Amino acid sequence: MSAWTAVVPVEPLALGSCDPLVAEAMVLSMLDLLRGSDAVASVLVVTGDLAVAGAARRRGMAVMAVRPMLSTDPLNDAARAGVRWAGSRRRGDAVVVVPVDLPHLAVAELDLALEALAERPRAFVPHADGRGVTLVSTRSPSD
C-alpha cells in the first residue's frame, strides 16, 4: 500500500458558495476524516483562511498559505501549489487532491478509493453525476 499525502485546497470561508458555518463544518469534517485514514500519511491544507489554517495546525497538519484574491482559479491553483509542495517535501508519497465538499465520504470508502488510485500513475474519481471529479491523484508529483 502506498503512503499518501492528501492536499486539501480550501477557499476562504467567507468567499464560498455556502454559509460560512456550513463551510467550516465541512472543512473540519474532512480534516478529521483524513486524520482517521490509515492510508493518509500526511495532510497539507492550502488556504488563505486563518481559521482553517489554525484548525489544520491544531490537528498536526501542514499548512500552505495562499492569497486567493490574486487568482482567477483559486482552488485549482491551490491544488497545483499543494501537489508541487508534496512533490518536493514528501518524496515517495503518492498525492491525492481532496476537496472538502464530500460530506458523505467515509474513511473506509476513502481508503478503498486510494487503493484503487494507487494502481495508476495518475488517476481521478469522477463525480457521480458525471460533471467534474472528486479525487485526483499522482504517484509521482515531482514529474
Side-chain angles (χ1 to χ4, degrees):
M1 174 165 28
S2 297
W4 287 90
T5 292
V7 173
V8 184
V10 182
E11 65 188 344
L13 299 178
L15 300 179
S17 58
C18 68
D19 179 281
L21 293 176
V22 173
E24 180 180 31
M26 290 187 341
V27 169
L28 298 178
S29 176
M30 182 55 70
L31 297 183
D32 290 339
L33 181 138
L34 292 168
R35 193 169 58 171
S37 169
D38 290 334
V40 176
S42 67
V43 177
L44 170 66
V45 177
V46 185
T47 188
D49 190 290
L50 295 176
V52 170
R57 286 186 181 104
R58 285 189 296 279
R59 287 166 171 75
M61 298 172 175
V63 174
M64 173 187 281
V66 293
R67 297 173 63 187
M69 300 304 286
L70 300 177
S71 172
T72 58
D73 191 10
L75 286 178
N76 285 325
D77 287 347
R80 284 188 285 273
V83 170
R84 284 191 303 271
W85 179 95
S88 67
R89 289 174 181 82
R90 298 291 302 180
R91 295 188 186 277
D93 280 8
V95 177
V96 62
V97 177
V98 182
V100 297
D101 60 348
L102 300 174
H104 301 292
L105 184 64
V107 173
E109 293 168 332
L110 174 65
D111 288 347
L112 283 172
L114 293 176
E115 186 177 318
L117 290 170
E119 295 176 9
R120 305 223 183 270
R122 290 193 168 101
F124 66 91
V125 175
H127 193 276
D129 68 7
R131 295 179 292 154
V133 298
T134 56
L135 301 173
V136 178
S137 71
T138 179
R139 286 195 321 227
S140 302
S142 56
D143 291 345

